[in-house]
Amino acid sequence: MATLHLINASSHRSSAMLRCLSAATNGDTVLLIENGVFCAVAATFAHDVSKATGLNWCALIDDARVRGIEHRLAPSIALVDDRAFVDLVVSHQPIVSWS
Amino acid sequence: MKFAIAVHGDATNSESPHSALRFARAAVAKGHQIHRVFFYHAGVNLANSLIVAPQGEPDAGDDWARFATENGIELAVCIAAALRRGVLSEQESHRYDRAAANLKAPFQIVGLGQMIEAAIVADRFVTFCA
Amino acid sequence: MNAKRILFLVAHPPHRGALAFEMLDALLVAAVFEQKVSVLFSGDGVYQLLDTGQPYRDVARSYRALPAYDVNDIYVDKTAMRQRSLSVEALVLPVRVLTRRGIRALIAAQDVVVPD
């Protein structure tokens, strides 16, 4: 079963994204939550994640919306709601949180 | 599925209490069970009944208390982490001769073993970091 | 119930208040509960195993006790060590060095990962 990675910090505040990328395997899913959604902003994402193919990228829509960046995200980021977050947890193991 | 949820941050410098509660609400709405919510590190501060949230701001401790009571969910607070941060049940307050107790119902003081028990019993273990 | 595979992932340096000791406490409890416990030190977390030579109780000294709790699957991230010019000889106990590939395989094999 693939791993679900949760990142809750922006790539400027923390090395969480870098550490996650070096630990994630092809087929894993990365869900950006809280201030982690800033990693999904198009220019930031293109810079930080250029080499990480093979991962599924998601962001919590409510966290992007309250930060006013819902429409500024990279096109490959899937916006998901809380119920979809639950579904992601069900379909992955383990769940690894990076901060 | 049975979930175990760990909360590592408190409401003053972390979003983790709010994120974890949203997740827990969605899990229950989808028919899943929450075996235990374990509050560790600064997360124990959610159980401090002396906290006064400013008017108009959400009160994470109250929100968790209400959710747990409505759904019969165990809110477990690590005793060692709680003592360090001054969150005391009546028993601990007497044991350490402190002026007051401040554990908010229905949070319960437990040993760290309850976190491991939750990891063992649950199908999924999700941590919300500070 | 079968023992779960629980990985404790230490990614932050020591001396962050109580956090390092609280992580260690959780690890020891998992070991006492006879789970399949492993621990990976990566990023600045490798500094938690640095032999500081200090006379007082520090996290490194406490981690030295892991084998006594039957925790022998102790890993360090090869890249993290190299980026900090650390060799395994500088650490307080024997460890297994993992490459990126090894870390990916380790994480994928777990039931539960506990972050610090």
Side-chain angles (χ1 to χ4, degrees):
Chain A
M1 191 170 274
T3 299
L4 176 65
H5 302 268
L6 306 179
I7 299 178
N8 78 341
S10 96
S11 43
H12 294 275
R13 209 273 286 161
S14 153
S15 60
M17 168 65 83
L18 270 177
R19 286 182 277 114
C20 173
L21 288 178
S22 81
T25 303
N26 275 358
D28 286 353
T29 298
V30 183
L31 172 64
L32 304 170
I33 71 171
E34 301 171 11
N35 287 328
V37 298
F38 286 119
C39 300
V41 167
T44 308
F45 189 76
H47 178 267
D48 292 342
V49 189
S50 53
K51 286 174 233 151
T53 53
L55 300 178
N56 307 304
W57 291 92
C58 305
L60 269 187
I61 188 168
D62 285 343
D63 289 347
R65 194 173 276 150
V66 303
R67 289 164 177 77
I69 58 170
E70 186 191 351
H71 300 296
R72 296 176 181 271
L73 306 186
S76 52
I77 308 283
L79 285 169
V80 300
D81 63 13
D82 296 340
R83 294 174 71 107
F85 182 0
V86 173
D87 291 341
L88 285 173
V89 169
V90 168
S91 60
H92 291 73
Q93 187 165 51
I95 320 301
V96 186
S97 299
W98 305 91
S99 75
Chain B
M1 274 204 173
K2 253 185 222 174
F3 291 132
I5 297 172
V7 179
H8 285 188
D10 68 21
T12 58
N13 67 347
S14 165
E15 293 290 297
S16 58
H18 295 292
S19 298
L21 182 53
R22 276 169 42 199
F23 177 84
R25 284 199 172 117
V28 166
K30 296 208 72 165
H32 297 290
Q33 277 181 274
I34 299 189
H35 177 66
R36 176 172 300 122
V37 184
F38 191 85
F39 296 85
Y40 200 35
H41 304 306
V44 302
N45 290 323
L46 272 288
N48 183 348
S49 67
L50 297 180
I51 286 173
V52 179
Q55 277 249 347
E57 274 182 31
D59 184 328
D62 274 355
D63 291 343
W64 269 108
R66 199 172 318 116
F67 172 73
T69 304
E70 284 166 3
N71 295 281
I73 286 166
E74 183 190 332
L75 303 183
V77 175
C78 172
I79 184 171
L83 287 173
R84 277 194 167 102
R85 293 165 179 84
V87 176
L88 302 179
S89 62
E90 288 287 350
Q91 183 175 14
E92 300 313 314
S93 173
H94 286 130
R95 190 201 304 271
Y96 293 99
D97 196 28
R98 289 301 190 262
N102 62 350
L103 182 69
K104 185 194 201 76
F107 289 86
Q108 301 170 48
I109 295 288
V110 304
L112 199 39
Q114 291 304 295
M115 184 181 92
I116 304 304
E117 194 267 359
I120 292 169
V121 166
D123 300 301
R124 297 289 185 270
F125 189 97
V126 187
T127 300
F128 290 85
C129 298
Chain C
M1 188 162 264
N2 286 338
K4 286 264 175 92
R5 286 158 297 186
I6 306 179
L7 170 68
F8 290 80
L9 210 165
V10 180
H12 296 90
H15 302 159
R16 288 192 312 149
L19 298 178
F21 284 110
E22 287 180 338
M23 177 66 159
L24 175 60
D25 285 346
L27 201 170
L28 294 178
V29 170
V32 163
F33 272 59
E34 296 182 338
Q35 300 305 292
K36 293 187 180 140
V37 173
S38 51
V39 54
L40 168 65
F41 296 86
S42 104
D44 281 338
V46 296
Y47 286 124
Q48 296 209 18
L49 292 183
L50 182 63
D51 195 340
T52 62
Q54 300 296 326
Y56 50 75
R57 178 193 180 224
D58 60 9
V59 170
R61 192 174 270 225
S62 301
Y63 271 118
R64 196 182 270 150
L66 286 192
Y69 283 79
D70 265 329
V71 178
N72 297 299
D73 294 328
I74 303 164
Y75 303 98
V76 297
D77 176 337
K78 182 178 188 177
T79 307
M81 295 284 284
R82 181 175 44 79
Q83 285 171 341
R84 291 159 181 80
S85 307
L86 285 177
S87 68
V88 295
E89 288 73 32
L91 305 183
V92 293
L93 83 174
V95 298
R96 267 182 263 180
V97 179
L98 283 186
T99 60
R100 197 163 279 201
R101 172 179 275 170
I103 288 170
R104 289 172 176 166
L106 177 69
I107 287 175
Q110 302 305 310
D111 296 305
V112 174
V113 176
V114 178
D116 72 336

